[in-house]
Amino acid sequence: MANIVLVGAQWGDEGKGKIIDVLTEKSDIIVRTQGGNNAGHTVFIGTTKYVLHLVPSGILHKSKICIIGNGVVVDPIGLVKEIEGLLSMNVQVAGQLFISQTAHVVMPWHKELDALKESKKGSNKIGTTKNGIGPAYSEKADRTGIRVIDFIHPERFKTLLKNKIEEHNETFAANGIPTMDFDEIYNLYSKAAEKLKPLVADTVTLLHEAWKQNKSILFEGAQGTFLDIDHGTYPFVTSSNTTSGGACTGSGFPPNRIDKVVGVAKAYSTRVGSGPMPSENEEISNHLHGLGREFGATTGRPRRCGWHDAVATRTAVMLNGIDELALTNLDGLDTFDTVKLCVAYECDGIQYRYVPSDITVLERCKPVYKELPGWKTPTTAIRSWDDLPENARNYLKNLEKESETHLSIISVGPARDETFSV
Ligand code: GDP
Ligand code: IMO
Ligand code: MG
């Protein structure tokens, strides 16, 4: 029995959904602790594809308890839609899914403000998902947000909503955005509140009771290390702590009860949205897009692709305390004559082994590559380390050494069984 925090070790979309699905088998409870429906976690069961945005990926296993923790920002309309989508695919949530009463709610003005702020930034835009994540967390930090517990009490919600609409309509009017109508929003959102009310719980106590009963808890990170509000490539980040510490604050589960941190990374690198990415590479981008791969699970945008950045993975290992690394999408590199591993950055004659936090330096960093022979063999049917081509094992050993951690899981395809332990 172990309590595991799983984090993305790159810029998001590392394949966390798939690895969560694999680890869920040995877990009792799966918890989302930060982010919102900016996340898109893909899980394949057989040939059926599921993309989870707010609901923990563990929901696809019958009888596992899934929690949306206090650190998440919940779009109630999006969540109801997601639950209905799951029901239409015969995935039940009743009795399995619980929402923290102290999570904050994403409201329509958050999405409008997200789009407005981005449009005002022009070429400096972050490239957000426009799901209102930043403005929802801003209001939370400003102590003027609406929490789930208030949202599901009609009178409390009414009062808060009136004040908020009044406040934001002034900004909307000043920016030529159509103002919001109280009745329209109240009617729409109170219907969602009615539907979600039976799922709302004191999830902190629920987790504590589960811990007392020796249950295994799996914390499902969203986004990735370099999108962390404190440790990422600020300001090109999301608005929550995506690193392992966020799992504790975002759930109320104490750090001394976490047994292990598992990082997830791709065999190469991807990023959606703006911001520095030193190992970005056109050849690998074109190759993967040509295969129909690396399009965003939430927005459908093509992801920027590059060689595996071991400087980033090494930094992620340091920041999160990653004990084990699950490496996905090894098959994405199957056809290259040579594969490259970024082992250091260079800027102004200085070599960096860890990602520099000064973005003006990072933006000018050039990758230092170790070039290795490719394996030019399909790996998707392989199910053991020993059966991998020698050059693939050599690449993975180099990646493991440079990242300063242990490889524990290798994924060679999107499906549940296209995975093996090292
Ligand atoms: P997440 O946000 O970290 O859960 O990752 P996404 O679901 O956004 O993106 C990962 C993509 O890689 C999805 O399309 C997965 O189905 C896919 N995937 C995960 N692991 C593998 C793998 O080993 N091989 C292949 N071909 N696809 C994979
Ligand atoms: P998962 O959990 C990849 C990126 C956006 C943008 C920045 C800020 O699927 O790995 P936001 O809407 O959060 O304010 O956008 O963060 N971003 C992600 N990129 N995967 C994600 O989630 C992401 N969630 C946000 O593209 O650059
Ligand atoms: Mg994703």
Side-chain angles (χ1 to χ4, degrees):
M1 292 291 168
N3 300 319
I4 299 173
V5 172
L6 180 137
V7 289
Q10 297 168 314
W11 287 271
D13 301 330
E14 295 90 349
K16 298 178 293 295
K18 165 164 178 175
I19 302 300
I20 285 283
D21 179 56
V22 170
L23 297 179
T24 293
E25 217 146 297
K26 290 189 183 148
S27 311
D28 300 300
I29 302 183
I30 300 86
V31 195
R32 273 284 305 273
T33 60
Q34 43 72 227
N37 60 357
N38 49 349
H41 296 176
T42 314
V43 181
F44 274 89
I45 298 180
T47 51
T48 309
K49 180 181 177 178
Y50 300 85
V51 181
L52 287 311
H53 298 287
L54 271 163
V55 177
S57 305
I59 201 76
L60 302 175
H61 288 250
K62 285 198 175 74
S63 82
K64 304 287 177 175
I65 297 295
C66 290
I67 293 178
I68 298 176
N70 57 276
V72 175
V73 286
V74 181
D75 175 346
I77 305 294
L79 181 55
V80 167
K81 217 168 126 188
E82 188 171 339
I83 291 171
E84 286 172 354
L86 286 169
L87 286 174
S88 75
M89 296 174 90
N90 290 322
V91 180
Q92 306 297 323
V93 305
Q96 259 184 276
L97 179 65
F98 298 94
I99 309 164
S100 164
Q101 51 192 8
T102 55
H104 278 245
V105 176
V106 179
M107 294 299 292
W109 56 86
H110 295 133
K111 292 184 212 176
E112 285 290 351
L113 291 172
D114 196 350
L116 177 69
K117 281 165 193 263
E118 282 284 90
S119 71
K120 287 195 168 177
K121 286 193 177 109
S123 61
N124 289 324
K125 70 173 198 270
I126 299 167
T128 74
T129 58
K130 298 207 175 88
N131 283 334
I133 306 299
Y137 277 116
S138 297
E139 229 158 52
K140 174 180 176 177
D142 193 34
R143 294 147 297 175
T144 60
I146 301 178
R147 305 212 287 185
V148 167
I149 194 70
D150 300 317
F151 176 64
I152 58 168
H153 279 99
E155 288 311 313
R156 277 150 76 172
F157 179 47
K158 228 177 229 174
T159 311
L160 289 166
L161 184 66
K162 270 204 175 105
N163 293 339
K164 282 279 146 196
I165 287 187
E166 212 168 279
E167 172 193 337
H168 289 297
N169 269 350
E170 280 180 30
T171 314
F172 281 21
N175 286 282
I177 299 170
T179 53
M180 294 175 283
D181 177 65
F182 172 83
D183 288 330
E184 197 183 310
I185 295 178
Y186 182 75
N187 289 339
L188 182 67
Y189 278 74
S190 55
K191 274 192 199 118
E194 277 299 306
K195 286 187 180 152
L196 296 177
K197 198 173 176 175
L199 311 182
V200 175
D202 172 0
T203 54
V204 175
T205 309
L206 200 156
L207 280 174
H208 181 67
E209 293 297 332
W211 172 76
K212 283 206 287 189
Q213 290 166 30
N214 248 339
K215 301 279 187 204
S216 292
I217 305 166
L218 178 58
F219 296 87
E220 175 172 353
Q223 290 82 54
T225 299
F226 299 97
L227 294 174
D228 184 283
I229 182 83
D230 285 282
H231 303 291
T233 56
Y234 192 92
F236 301 104
V237 293
T238 191
S239 300
S240 64
N241 282 116
T242 61
T243 44
S244 54
C248 294
T249 53
S251 65
F253 195 73
N256 57 343
R257 289 173 191 164
I258 303 287
D259 299 297
K260 191 161 50 171
V261 179
V262 175
V264 186
K266 278 177 175 148
Y268 46 90
S269 304
T270 65
R271 176 168 200 163
V272 210
S274 321
M277 182 184 180
S279 69
E280 188 169 10
N281 177 282
E282 214 177 294
E283 184 196 359
I284 186 162
S285 275
N286 291 342
H287 169 72
L288 292 164
H289 293 154
L291 295 172
R293 288 168 70 155
E294 301 309 344
F295 292 90
T298 298
T299 59
R301 291 178 290 177
R303 296 174 180 146
R304 300 156 62 193
C305 304
W307 297 111
H308 186 94
D309 184 344
V311 178
T313 318
R314 192 184 291 142
T315 308
V317 167
M318 169 176 77
L319 282 166
N320 295 291
I322 290 172
D323 298 297
E324 295 175 4
L325 189 69
L327 199 83
T328 69
N329 288 275
L330 180 68
D331 53 307
L333 298 179
D334 281 350
T335 54
F336 288 91
D337 290 331
T338 53
V339 284
K340 292 182 189 174
L341 200 54
C342 172
V343 295
Y345 299 157
E346 219 168 63
C347 180
D348 300 331
I350 299 170
Q351 278 222 355
Y352 292 86
R353 279 182 51 77
Y354 296 96
V355 177
S357 42
D358 181 344
I359 193 155
T360 66
V361 173
L362 182 58
E363 276 167 342
R364 291 181 297 115
C365 276
K366 297 277 174 273
V368 177
Y369 286 121
K370 191 185 250 188
E371 210 163 318
L372 299 157
W375 46 94
K376 303 199 76 172
T377 312
T379 52
T380 297
I382 291 172
R383 295 290 177 273
S384 77
W385 174 264
D386 290 339
D387 289 337
L388 280 172
E390 194 185 339
N391 286 351
R393 281 192 310 235
N394 181 43
Y395 174 71
L396 293 171
K397 275 192 204 148
N398 272 278
L399 191 153
E400 182 176 51
K401 183 167 167 267
E402 292 295 345
S403 305
E404 299 177 354
T405 189
H406 294 292
L407 281 178
S408 61
I409 295 174
I410 307 289
S411 168
V412 287
R416 208 178 250 181
D417 65 325
E418 288 166 338
T419 315
F420 55 87
S421 301
V422 179

